[in-house]
Amino acid sequence: MKIEKIGVIGAGVMGAGIAQAFATSGYPVLLRDISQSALDRVFATVKASLSRLVAKEKMTQSDADAALARIVPTLKLEDFRDRDLIVEAVVEKFEVKKAIVADLDGICAEKAIFASNTSSLSLTKIAAASKQPGRVIGMHFFNPVPMMRLVEVIRAIQTSDAVNAAIVETVARLGKEARVARDSYGFVVNRVLIPMVNEAINCVYENVATPEDVDAMMKLGAAHPMGPLALADMIGLDIVLDVMEVLYAGFSDPKYRPSPLLKQMCDAGFLGRKTGRGFFSY
């Protein structure tokens, strides 16, 4: 399975990073969103990211210009008919992802691979939305995509061996490392990481320690490069809550119960860096 033309659906933070990663590796990328303003913002974001790499002498200005030129915006899903690999990076809602897969089925060639950047939802359920579920797989990138080496490749029950091999090879061509996991709620990274973050939030909720001290203790005592609460603010507390709720509902295990404080902060709109306030101020 030869992958040459890429499609990315969703022009948010993750979509922008995924598009940049493919474009800097020489792939032509078609980037789709439902609003022109989102597409305009993502080009400014990618241009700024590439400029930082140029300033750090990690790439030349000509290479940065060429990468940006490889990203073509569109508002039409129909434009993806010639893509070999389409990666969706839309909101973490099953019904939205299911609808995209079903729509792509009626547009794309039979050889096209559909990948989801979901961080916790069942790939097996997402794959079932396709008439060819064997071509559906998970590609879980991590933020910031241009810098993070891991891509968690998630095999649905239906994913074919050929599709899995093609995606592992493609990840290597991006200069990243693929690690394959079977489909399970939260996969590996978020199943381990997000409950740890949730427990750090509980330490604040129960007045065990301040946010500053919780993060300092984990950095000093566990050699974490970033404290769990600062990490939660970077991820977005709404995303942390979404993952916890998927784990809680999927496993029916009380150890995955979201912290009451996490719910309260999301209700208040204190979502972290993107709103200027979370456990810390920005």
Side-chain angles (χ1 to χ4, degrees):
M1 305 180 91
K2 196 170 183 180
I3 295 175
E4 295 180 333
K5 296 180 179 180
I6 307 299
V8 177
I9 301 176
V13 172
M14 294 304 295
I18 293 167
Q20 179 180 328
F22 277 104
T24 54
S25 297
Y27 290 95
V29 179
L30 190 62
L31 177 61
R32 187 250 187 181
D33 203 275
I34 58 174
S35 76
Q36 186 60 49
S37 60
L39 291 171
D40 293 340
R41 285 194 301 272
V42 80
F43 272 82
T45 299
V46 173
K47 186 175 182 179
S49 177
L50 292 170
S51 294
R52 288 192 292 272
L53 293 174
V54 172
K56 294 177 181 178
E57 299 183 345
K58 293 187 176 182
M59 69 188 313
T60 65
Q61 185 62 57
S62 61
D63 285 343
D65 292 341
L68 191 63
R70 292 188 190 102
I71 304 174
V72 176
T74 183
L75 296 171
K76 299 177 181 179
L77 202 60
E78 292 80 7
D79 291 343
F80 283 75
R81 62 174 56 88
D82 68 340
R83 300 292 103 173
D84 302 311
L85 168 63
I86 300 98
V87 183
E88 68 80 9
V90 299
V91 64
E92 192 76 343
K93 302 295 181 185
F94 170 71
E95 292 301 328
V96 177
K97 296 179 185 293
K98 175 183 175 181
I100 287 173
V101 169
D103 288 343
L104 288 173
D105 253 358
I107 295 169
C108 298
E110 291 186 3
K111 68 181 180 67
I113 297 173
F114 303 158
S116 174
N117 184 54
T118 180
S119 59
S120 60
L121 298 176
S122 168
L123 259 300
T124 298
K125 286 181 66 177
I126 294 172
S130 173
K131 294 177 182 177
Q132 298 182 66
R135 64 169 163 185
V136 180
I137 195 166
M139 291 183 78
H140 182 204
F141 290 83
F142 293 82
N143 189 33
V145 176
M147 308 306 296
M148 300 295 282
R149 289 187 59 205
L150 174 66
V151 178
E152 205 174 21
V153 176
I154 313 303
R155 289 196 65 160
I157 289 177
Q158 308 96 314
T159 303
S160 72
D161 290 341
V163 165
N164 183 73
I167 293 303
V168 169
E169 180 183 349
T170 300
V171 170
R173 290 177 65 185
L174 294 179
K176 298 185 182 296
E177 186 167 339
R179 292 289 172 167
V180 180
R182 291 186 299 171
D183 186 27
S184 179
Y185 296 104
F187 319 131
V188 174
V189 174
N190 278 345
R191 182 171 172 178
V192 174
L193 177 65
I194 299 300
M196 182 200 73
V197 170
N198 188 65
E199 200 57 32
I201 295 170
N202 274 330
C203 287
V204 177
Y205 177 62
E206 297 167 10
N207 293 316
V208 175
T210 65
E212 292 79 5
D213 283 344
V214 168
D215 274 14
M217 290 176 189
M218 293 305 294
K219 288 191 289 184
L220 294 170
H224 287 198
M226 175 184 289
L229 300 176
L231 178 61
D233 281 353
M234 186 177 77
I235 295 169
L237 299 188
D238 52 335
I239 304 301
V240 173
L241 179 58
D242 283 346
V243 175
M244 286 303 300
E245 288 180 334
V246 167
L247 294 172
Y248 189 38
F251 290 113
S252 300
D253 190 327
K255 73 180 180 182
Y256 296 117
R257 182 176 66 91
S259 170
L261 178 57
L262 175 60
K263 291 183 176 181
Q264 288 175 338
M265 293 186 72
C266 289
D267 288 343
F270 302 154
L271 306 182
R273 291 189 184 186
K274 60 188 171 186
T275 60
R277 178 176 176 181
F279 285 97
F280 306 99
S281 296
Y282 303 89

